[in-house]
Amino acid sequence: MAPADPRDDPALDAALIARWLDGDERAASELVARHAPAVARFVSSLGLRVDVDEVVQDAFVRAFGALDTFRADAALRTWLFTIARRLVLDRRRSERRRGTEVEVQEDDAATPDDPLSSLVAQEMQDRLKAAVERLTPMQREVFTLRVSEGMGYKEIADVLGSTEGAARVHYHHAMRSVKEFLDA
Amino acid sequence: MRDCANGELRDQLPDWVHGRLDAARAEVVAQHVAACADCADEVALLRDLGTTLRAGAPQVDVARIVAALPKPPARGRATLRWYQRTQWRAAAAVVLMVGASSIALLDRGAPDAPKAAMEFAGGVSDLSEGDLQSLLKDLEKMDATPQSEPDGAQGVSAELGPVAP
């Protein structure tokens, strides 16, 4: 059996949140360290090329500002992803109003100066990356949440404001597309 | 790369890879993957994809994020809302007791006691000596009313009789 993912331990999150609400600021560091990399991955998968760290920071600031209202029955990471996604959408809307938006293209994440290129050296990894970059924005969001973060369809639907059925369909279409690209 | 014909099981492969299935279901999936080449290939692909996607994420400065966070709502003590604090609870209890006592006292009189009292106050000079004595006796009975509540306020009203002649 595959080992349980400790990042998904809601009891640990709940304990850290309680500690922070009791005045323990170190708990905030632990919560940020646990979830910030995943939030950054997700924000990056949305096609945002700049200011990823700024969006991640804003998401945490907003979340902590309302942490006393956070429902313990929800997953903290899902909540953070929802906030981060809303921030990205707000940012795009704002840029559109100012006429400065650069539309997110299907290959936005495949820029030559993407730090990912320097990190991923092997040919297979390059191909995997290219396969994901070919997905539609919605497929890429769902696929990243499912494959990289291990989220269930219900959590994905919560983040995207969609339905479990739609998330499942997007995931399987994405997987089929990735396989076809790798087989070509 | 082919898809396994068992769609339900294939749907759970990401959950299995991330250890999100319960023990019984995880065992079923593990046995299937061990025997199914298509699912074994897909599991390998999922792991490679996960590694690739995680490796490509931008680095985040945890310390900078933490520094920007708001302060905890309470330092060094449990976060109680104002209505959860002892002194507020005590004050609320006193107010409730006073209010309840006032309502109970009004209920013990006749339903039209306030009206009768007003009428009485307006015409006290018209009362005879006998009326006054009767009223004083009624007032003494009210003072002697025990603190514990009887079963019904109606019984007390009947016992006291009318407040006004």
Side-chain angles (χ1 to χ4, degrees):
Chain A
M1 173 188 163
D5 190 339
R7 296 169 303 166
D8 289 337
D9 186 351
L12 180 53
D13 281 339
L16 289 169
I17 290 170
R19 275 175 49 195
W20 185 78
L21 289 172
D22 282 349
D24 183 357
E25 293 188 45
R26 289 171 303 175
S29 299
E30 292 184 48
L31 283 166
V32 172
R34 276 169 60 76
H35 298 293
V39 177
R41 281 196 297 272
F42 177 60
V43 169
S44 183
S45 80
L46 296 176
L48 200 67
R49 287 180 296 182
V50 294
D51 301 335
V52 170
D53 52 347
E54 192 178 309
V55 171
V56 174
Q57 178 176 307
D58 285 353
F60 274 95
V61 168
R62 291 196 183 200
F64 273 76
L67 211 48
D68 56 343
T69 66
F70 175 67
R71 292 178 295 111
D73 59 333
L76 178 62
R77 184 169 294 188
T78 303
W79 191 44
L80 287 166
F81 281 17
T82 305
I83 295 171
R85 185 171 190 269
R86 201 178 305 133
L87 287 169
V88 171
L89 295 178
D90 287 348
R91 183 176 288 245
R92 283 186 187 154
R93 249 180 246 119
S94 172
E95 288 173 347
R96 194 177 300 131
R97 275 197 299 272
R98 292 200 308 264
T100 58
E101 184 197 40
V102 177
E103 285 294 332
V104 175
Q105 301 298 320
E106 302 247 338
D107 59 352
D108 258 3
T111 52
D113 58 347
D114 189 330
L116 187 63
S117 299
S118 61
L119 294 172
V120 182
Q122 297 176 5
E123 183 184 351
M124 183 58 188
Q125 286 183 315
D126 284 339
R127 283 178 60 77
L128 290 173
K129 185 165 70 76
V132 174
E133 287 159 358
R134 289 178 67 254
L135 301 174
T136 66
M138 179 59 83
Q139 286 177 346
R140 197 162 56 217
E141 279 185 63
V142 173
F143 199 71
T144 300
L145 292 173
R146 184 103 176 105
V147 175
S148 178
E149 308 305 328
M151 280 188 169
Y153 295 120
K154 171 72 170 65
E155 294 168 294
I156 294 171
D158 287 344
V159 171
L160 304 183
S162 182
T163 64
E164 289 184 57
R168 180 177 278 108
V169 168
H170 283 305
Y171 168 74
H172 284 290
H173 282 173
M175 178 57 89
R176 178 99 304 275
S177 175
V178 167
K179 283 182 176 178
E180 286 174 357
F181 178 82
L182 295 174
D183 286 341
Chain B
M1 198 176 292
R2 296 182 308 177
D3 289 343
C4 172
N6 188 338
E8 183 186 349
L9 195 140
R10 192 162 60 89
D11 196 36
Q12 294 180 328
L13 291 178
D15 300 315
W16 183 72
V17 166
H18 285 272
R20 293 173 59 100
L21 298 178
D22 61 55
R25 189 61 194 164
E27 183 58 30
V28 170
V29 175
Q31 288 179 5
H32 177 86
V33 170
C36 174
D38 292 337
C39 282
D41 285 347
E42 187 156 326
V43 165
L45 175 61
L46 285 167
R47 288 190 169 131
D48 287 344
L49 281 163
T51 302
T52 300
L53 291 170
R54 283 192 289 273
Q59 297 296 310
V60 289
D61 186 343
V62 171
R64 200 188 74 158
I65 294 172
V66 171
L69 295 178
K71 295 292 176 194
R75 176 176 281 275
R77 67 178 180 183
T79 51
L80 298 176
R81 299 188 190 284
W82 65 269
Y83 54 80
Q84 292 174 309
R85 298 188 192 284
T86 304
Q87 59 268 36
W88 281 104
R89 284 187 164 182
V94 168
V95 169
L96 281 173
M97 286 169 63
V98 169
S101 301
S102 302
I103 292 169
L105 283 173
L106 283 174
D107 279 350
R108 284 186 189 119
D112 55 351
K115 185 183 170 189
M118 291 298 289
E119 288 172 0
F120 166 74
V124 67
S125 59
D126 298 328
L127 291 175
S128 65
E129 184 65 24
D131 290 332
L132 284 171
Q133 290 298 330
S134 174
L135 184 60
L136 283 170
K137 281 180 184 175
D138 286 342
L139 286 171
E140 283 171 5
K141 282 184 183 177
M142 287 181 73
D143 287 341
T145 303
Q147 290 299 308
S148 59
E149 289 286 329
D151 289 338
Q154 206 168 12
V156 176
S157 298
E159 180 191 345
L160 291 175
V163 174

